[in-house]
Amino acid sequence: MDVIKNIVVTDKGIRLLFQNQYTFNVESGSTRTEIKHWVELFFGVKVKAMNSHRLPGKGRRMGPIMGHTMHYRRMIITLQPGYYIPPLVTQPMVTK
């Protein structure tokens, strides 16, 4: 099951990399434990904390009724000290 849809590369997402936090868009139907297990298994890291929120849906016109389409939610995953995701960071970042 492909839980993670893509990584979010925004100004805030890049700032969070310095705090060892990574931002992903994930499937809305997946649970927190599934996501944690998948990230730890796929990237070989230890997850310290996870925060999630649903983004406001885009309006979609369906005849006279307005609907929303949002098939993902955003997760901010904090890793334990000493761990990092290699495709995103080539070496551990040192902050002052």
Side-chain angles (χ1 to χ4, degrees), residues 13-44:
I14 293 171
R15 273 196 324 261
L16 290 175
L17 287 175
F18 291 105
Q19 299 172 7
N20 208 18
Q21 296 179 340
Y22 298 86
T23 308
F24 298 100
N25 286 338
V26 298
E27 294 285 333
S28 63
S30 54
T31 63
R32 292 170 63 90
T33 52
E34 278 181 345
I35 296 167
K36 180 179 177 181
H37 177 69
W38 196 87
V39 168
E40 288 179 346
L41 185 68
F42 186 75
F43 293 115

Side-chain angles (χ1 to χ4, degrees), residues 12 16 21-23 49-52 74-78:
K12 182 177 179 180
L16 290 175
Q21 296 179 340
Y22 298 86
T23 308
M50 295 176 20
N51 295 321
S52 68
R74 189 158 290 169
M75 296 290 296
I76 299 174
I77 299 173
T78 305

Side-chain angles (χ1 to χ4, degrees), residues 54-66:
R54 293 187 189 275
L55 299 169
K58 294 181 178 178
R60 188 174 120 186
R61 189 156 209 136
M62 300 183 310
I65 302 171
M66 294 296 286

